[in-house]
Amino acid sequence: MEPETAPTANQRLDRRVLTAVELNGHHKQEAVALKTGAEIWIADDGSELAKELEKKLKRAKFAPHRESVESLLAKDAPGSLDALIIVGPDNDTSGNFLSSAFRLIQFAGPALRKSGSNGGSALVTVSRLDGAFGLAELNGNGNPVTGGLAGLTKTARHEWSEVHCKALDIDAESGDVKTAAKAIVDEMLREGPVEVGLAGKTRNAIELQSTSIDSLGGGKPLESGDVVIVSGGSRGVTASTAIALAEEFHPTLVLLGRSDAPQSEPDWLSGLDKESEIKKAIHGHLNGSGGLKEVEREYRRWMSNREMNANIAKMEAAGAKVVYRSVDVRDGDAVSKVVNEARKELGPIRGVVHGAGVLADRRIEDKTAEQFELVYSTKVNGLQAMLEATQKDDLKVVALFSSFTGRYGRVGQIDYAVANEVLNKLAQSEARKRPDCRVVSVNWGPWNGGMVDASLRRVFEAEGVGLIEPRAGAEYLVKELSSPAGEQQPVEVVVLAPFENGEADGARNSIRFNAGTSQGSEAAENAAKNSNAPTAAGESIAVERAISVTNTPCLKSHVIGGKAVLPLALSTELLAHGALHGHPGMAFCGIDNLKVFKGVMLDADETQTLQVVTKEARHEDGQTIVPAQLISHRDGKRVAHAGGDIVLAAKLPKAEKPSAAPDLAVDARDRDAIYAGDLLFHGPDFQGIQRLEGCDANGIAAQVDCAPSPKNWIADPLRGTWITDPLALDCAYQMLILWSWQQNEKPSLPTAAANYRQFKRRFPKDGVRIVATITDSKRRQAKADIDFIDSKGALVARMQAYRCVIDDSLKEAFGGNQLR
């Protein structure tokens, strides 16, 4: 439940207005290097512009290839690609092309990044607005939905620093495709602003100008009783603004939300405030039959219900009539039905406030099409449904909750950046259709409430990003909407909070976190919800996962003593996922103080529920350190299985050079020889050692495979790609088992590692060379430093002070490698 906030903190917010400014000839014009004969894909939208682009590029001695997006996606993944140009269609307003454009960027990304690292590459998107990103005329021929392409580009430039990214906008009114094509090619080869509008021979950039909030207001757009439709308005920051609207205008508020309508709180819960008391009451109401998970789920449901009731009560106390309707705002027919009923029962619709939104933060390569669709459709389809349902109403105010993610781009939020840019441009279009309506799309900075917990608050502080106090944000929006409608009023505004010294500039560069929505980050939301679970003091549950041989079939290939054993490599993957869950968009850099406490062992028909619990993050030398443990509960007692300090950062550490390999006696056993005997217990999924290179007292070296897709090992994986590489890591541990057999005639198992650092986001598909150098060897244990090296000799990852226990009693357990 959102905490009470002070009526006002006299916080002075920074309001910035977007303006288009012409780039003169003196602007810095450094060239972008693309080699002669560079391979360039043009995503053909079927227009003459795409054809003309192909001609211009050929004349410039490049090698363009023009096909539709779907045709390009049907090709084999390119090994290398020097540039990708995506031209927005002039007539498709459904947004389907944006989803396809995302998938194409995701598909071509590895090749673009490879070329970028080896000399230069470019990603260019072309929207069709007015040559000024909707800040000029934007008449009927412009396609506002293509404005979402800039969100793709602005996010890619943060995640792919090696790729030159440009978001261009051409004037949809101009029929001069030759001039437009030349300008696009010229701009692709030019450094400068990430966003450039092209109107004939004029080049426009976007600037933000700070304006005083004190000058806003002066009007009264809504009368008492006027009906305002509000999506996402019963909880979170949108509810704060709905309360302020109620206080100022006394309207009739029709709240649309995904949750069921709030109900009266039952007597057995009434009056209870402490979490422990509430959960005890819930457990009793379930007749003692509910487990921890069910109690937690019921707790969250009742607290959500309490928050909704409290907010609605505040709106009514302020003088508003409030009606709540449970509806999926993405469902146009359902929204239309609700709005029609409201109009019939309550009167004509006079205002629309769209605050609904969700997040599913993942980097470009990790994000699924389903996640993209959910984020996009909630924001954009929801708005389109509300505008369609009210197209014949004489609206006086339209307020859209956009985000500074759309303006600046942000790591992990490519879908959210796209959705909010479409929101911004639809607002521009709507303002021109409704000259007497105050239409504004507010690109909010993060709010101090909702899902911004103490950990996220410190991250914002480290980045110099202030938090908007709910009351200050709500009062600002009332002033914004009270400003008279007209051509002079800006449509897109960025609103940020000051940070300590009164400056809000930190948000301009913030690329990792954003809480400027009514729903907040999905990852942060889940972490916040789980933080109430029964854990140790200062801990929260980041991930909860039921593990069995059925849902994790790769465990059939990892059996010791007749039981399936969760490999340390998969435990490490879960720990990393748990840390990233509460810090979306950051890069996994490694883990310190990795320790094994007790193995996770499963019978053939057994299921265990595992949790990754995290403690409050600390910040050191530009890195975020998240203590994490993998635990379970058995017979009411907590069991710790593995743990360590997960190291996160905005970008991966710079790769070090591989260590000098030790001189090793030749040992050229191949895969068949390695796995044929009883030295290792690993079944088919974990038989990743291709061949040994050498092994003696100094260490061991081998060529190994990397892991297949997570879906090949896990029925319902948490991610579409691995964070680490569990097969490569496990092969390193297997190699140390082979080493201990040779040197001690006994097997070994991993127990700890001082640190692990990963220098590349993905292990190479063609495998790695692993070199383990023994640094200390005793009768019962050994220590080693382990390098993971790609085929070009570059260091992919390094583990230092790996420790294993060497035990004769493991021989019998290794022999029982069949599930009983």
Side-chain angles (χ1 to χ4, degrees):
M1 185 172 177
E2 186 175 329
E4 289 285 339
T5 57
T8 179
N10 294 321
Q11 186 184 40
R12 296 187 65 83
L13 300 179
D14 181 18
R15 176 182 184 259
R16 302 182 180 187
V17 174
L18 274 67
T19 59
V21 296
E22 185 174 343
L23 290 169
N24 58 45
H26 299 291
H27 187 80
K28 190 176 181 180
Q29 303 286 306
E30 291 183 5
V32 173
L34 281 185
K35 64 187 180 184
T36 301
E39 183 179 0
I40 300 174
W41 281 6
I42 305 170
D44 189 358
D45 66 331
S47 69
E48 291 300 314
L49 176 60
K51 297 176 183 177
E52 191 62 34
L53 269 174
E54 185 178 32
K55 293 178 184 177
K56 297 290 185 186
L57 290 167
K58 284 181 178 178
R59 289 173 192 157
K61 302 189 183 305
F62 297 125
H65 179 80
R66 176 173 57 87
E67 284 191 57
S68 69
V69 172
E70 296 303 327
S71 295
L72 291 172
L73 285 169
K75 299 165 69 71
D76 292 333
S80 63
L81 183 65
D82 299 297
L84 172 63
I85 303 174
I86 301 177
V87 180
D90 56 8
N91 54 10
D92 183 355
T93 59
S94 67
N96 292 336
F97 78 91
L98 288 170
S99 177
S100 297
F102 157 69
R103 289 188 291 119
L104 180 58
I105 287 175
Q106 187 181 54
F107 179 66
L112 286 173
R113 299 184 73 177
K114 179 180 177 181
S115 295
S117 298
N118 294 330
S121 65
L123 169 65
V124 178
T125 58
V126 183
S127 56
R128 294 176 179 270
L129 298 168
D130 53 11
F133 295 95
L135 300 175
E137 296 300 324
L138 192 64
N139 53 34
N141 290 328
N143 183 355
V145 178
T146 63
L149 289 170
L152 292 173
T153 318
K154 287 186 285 188
T155 300
R157 79 184 179 110
H158 289 309
E159 296 192 21
W160 300 347
S161 59
E162 61 273 77
V163 180
H164 172 62
C165 297
K166 269 289 180 78
L168 307 180
D169 178 49
I170 62 171
D171 184 359
E173 287 297 300
S174 174
D176 188 353
V177 295
K178 290 185 178 181
T179 298
K182 181 181 184 305
I184 290 169
V185 173
D186 288 346
E187 204 61 47
M188 179 180 71
L189 302 174
R190 178 187 286 137
E191 290 283 3
V194 65
E195 296 172 286
V196 177
L198 304 171
K201 295 184 179 180
T202 300
R203 299 170 63 235
N204 295 306
I206 291 177
E207 285 189 355
L208 291 171
Q209 297 180 349
S210 290
T211 58
S212 173
I213 291 177
D214 295 338
S215 62
L216 299 177
K220 190 176 181 182
L222 298 172
E223 300 294 333
S224 179
D226 279 352
V227 181
V228 180
I229 309 293
V230 185
S231 71
S234 61
R235 297 178 61 200
V237 299
T238 318
S240 297
T241 59
I243 293 169
L245 291 173
E247 292 171 343
E248 184 71 17
F249 303 119
H250 312 302
T252 297
L253 299 174
V254 181
L255 308 181
L256 309 183
R258 293 173 297 172
S259 303
D260 292 335
Q263 61 188 91
S264 299
E265 194 161 276
D267 292 339
W268 56 266
L269 187 60
S270 180
L272 300 180
D273 294 318
K274 292 183 179 179
E275 179 184 326
S276 58
E277 294 176 341
I278 294 170
K279 288 184 174 179
K280 183 177 179 181
I282 291 172
H283 188 260
H285 184 68
L286 295 173
N287 297 319
S289 61
L292 293 176
K293 195 171 183 179
E294 186 175 0
V295 170
E296 182 63 34
R297 183 169 55 247
E298 284 295 292
Y299 174 80
R300 294 198 301 266
R301 182 174 73 85
W302 283 114
M303 291 305 94
S304 172
N305 184 77
R306 181 176 285 186
E307 181 185 356
M308 292 167 66
N309 276 324
N311 286 331
I312 290 173
K314 289 178 183 178
M315 296 173 203
E316 291 176 336
K321 178 178 180 180
V322 182
V323 177
Y324 181 89
R325 294 290 181 264
S326 178
V327 65
D328 184 343
V329 293
R330 299 173 298 173
D331 186 337
D333 290 339
V335 171
S336 180
K337 180 181 178 182
V338 167
V339 172
N340 286 339
E341 290 174 351
R343 186 185 296 109
K344 182 177 180 180
E345 297 172 12
L346 305 170
I349 313 302
R350 291 291 180 250
V352 168
V353 178
H354 182 43
V358 296
L359 288 181
D361 286 8
R362 296 288 188 277
R363 284 182 173 260
I364 292 170
E365 58 266 34
D366 294 329
K367 197 175 294 286
T368 66
E370 291 76 18
Q371 289 167 340
F372 187 97
E373 172 61 23
L374 172 64
V375 173
Y376 180 87
S377 61
T378 302
K379 184 65 71 174
V380 177
N381 294 10
L383 172 62
Q384 290 174 325
M386 294 174 73
L387 293 179
E388 177 69 23
T390 58
Q391 61 176 323
K392 295 182 179 179
D393 289 288
D394 182 17
L395 298 181
K396 300 303 180 184
V397 294
V398 172
L400 311 183
F401 278 48
S402 184
S403 165
F404 77 153
T405 290
R407 175 85 313 268
Y408 302 116
R410 198 202 106 180
V411 172
Q413 284 194 339
I414 191 168
D415 42 11
Y416 199 61
V418 170
N420 281 296
E421 275 290 69
V422 174
L423 214 68
N424 291 332
K425 306 316 170 186
L426 287 174
Q428 294 281 9
S429 178
E430 197 69 17
R432 288 159 176 78
K433 294 177 184 176
R434 299 178 181 270
D436 297 326
C437 176
R438 179 68 185 110
V439 180
V440 63
S441 184
V442 184
N443 291 248
W444 296 107
W447 287 57
N448 185 21
M451 300 308 153
V452 179
D453 59 13
S455 178
L456 281 180
R457 197 170 288 117
R458 275 186 290 277
V459 171
F460 285 128
E461 289 174 357
E463 295 183 352
V465 181
L467 300 178
I468 298 171
E469 295 299 332
R471 187 66 183 179
E475 289 178 350
Y476 149 73
L477 186 61
V478 168
K479 287 184 177 181
E480 187 74 72
L481 294 178
S482 298
S483 299
E487 293 183 2
Q488 301 304 314
Q489 292 291 354
V491 175
E492 293 178 65
V493 296
V494 178
V495 175
L496 306 169
F499 176 72
E500 290 186 357
N501 59 1
E503 295 297 325
D505 289 338
R508 194 181 335 208
N509 300 317
S510 175
I511 62 174
R512 295 202 296 273
F513 289 91
N514 172 54
T517 73
S518 61
Q519 301 299 325
S521 162
E522 179 183 86
E525 182 175 354
N526 290 336
K529 288 176 179 176
N530 286 329
S531 66
N532 297 312
T535 58
E539 286 184 341
S540 61
I541 299 174
V543 175
E544 186 171 82
R545 187 80 173 170
I547 301 290
S548 69
V549 173
T550 301
N551 65 25
T552 313
C554 66
L555 295 182
K556 297 176 184 177
S557 294
H558 204 265
V559 177
I560 302 176
K563 290 180 178 288
V565 178
L566 185 71
L568 175 60
L570 283 180
S571 295
T572 305
E573 185 78 13
L574 284 169
L575 291 169
H577 183 87
L580 288 168
H581 194 66
H583 298 82
M586 299 192 80
F588 169 77
C589 300
I591 181 170
D592 292 338
N593 306 313
L594 175 63
K595 293 180 181 178
V596 180
F597 302 118
K598 184 178 179 60
V600 179
M601 307 183 74
L602 299 161
D603 291 326
D605 58 352
E606 183 181 0
T607 298
Q608 284 192 34
T609 297
L610 301 179
Q611 296 172 336
V612 176
V613 295
T614 58
K615 290 187 176 181
E616 193 172 291
R618 62 183 187 272
H619 306 284
E620 300 174 358
D621 300 326
Q623 296 178 325
T624 298
I625 314 298
V626 185
Q629 258 193 18
L630 181 67
I631 68 169
S632 65
H633 290 87
R634 306 279 290 193
D635 300 323
K637 295 182 179 180
R638 169 177 170 143
V639 180
H641 297 287
D645 296 327
I646 307 301
V647 182
L648 309 176
K651 60 182 180 180
L652 292 170
K654 185 178 180 181
E656 302 171 12
K657 291 184 179 180
S659 301
D663 292 329
L664 300 174
V666 174
D667 185 340
R669 282 176 286 175
D670 62 11
R671 188 195 307 264
D672 291 340
I674 292 167
Y675 294 104
D678 56 3
L679 298 179
L680 297 172
F681 60 85
H682 303 75
D685 283 333
F686 287 93
Q687 293 179 357
I689 302 176
Q690 299 175 12
R691 61 178 176 83
L692 292 177
E693 297 177 357
C695 181
D696 61 21
N698 295 317
I700 185 170
Q703 295 287 336
V704 310
D705 293 329
C706 290
S709 170
K711 65 183 179 182
N712 289 40
W713 279 14
I714 303 170
D716 184 22
L718 292 168
R719 291 171 174 256
T721 56
W722 298 111
I723 300 171
T724 62
D725 191 289
L727 181 56
L729 290 179
D730 196 80
C731 284
Y733 308 151
Q734 294 177 41
M735 289 165 58
L736 270 298
I737 295 174
L738 294 173
W739 176 88
S740 65
W741 271 115
Q742 186 194 78
Q743 298 301 310
N744 298 279
E745 297 184 350
K746 303 171 187 176
S748 65
L749 283 178
T751 60
N755 64 70
Y756 168 81
R757 287 296 180 272
Q758 193 163 305
F759 306 106
K760 295 190 177 182
R761 191 166 296 278
R762 297 286 172 266
F763 274 59
K765 292 182 179 179
D766 58 353
V768 292
R769 178 175 182 247
I770 298 179
V771 179
T773 303
I774 302 300
T775 59
D776 187 27
S777 176
K778 295 182 175 64
R779 187 171 60 88
R780 295 292 305 275
Q781 65 178 11
K783 292 173 67 175
D785 291 339
I786 306 170
D787 280 2
F788 301 79
I789 306 165
D790 67 16
S791 59
K792 295 182 178 180
L795 192 63
V796 177
R798 169 173 287 160
M799 181 175 287
Q800 293 181 303
Y802 164 88
R803 288 194 288 178
C804 61
V805 60
I806 302 169
D807 195 332
D808 195 62
S809 67
L810 292 173
K811 292 179 180 178
E812 183 179 352
F814 275 31
N817 65 348
Q818 298 297 316
L819 270 175
R820 290 198 293 262

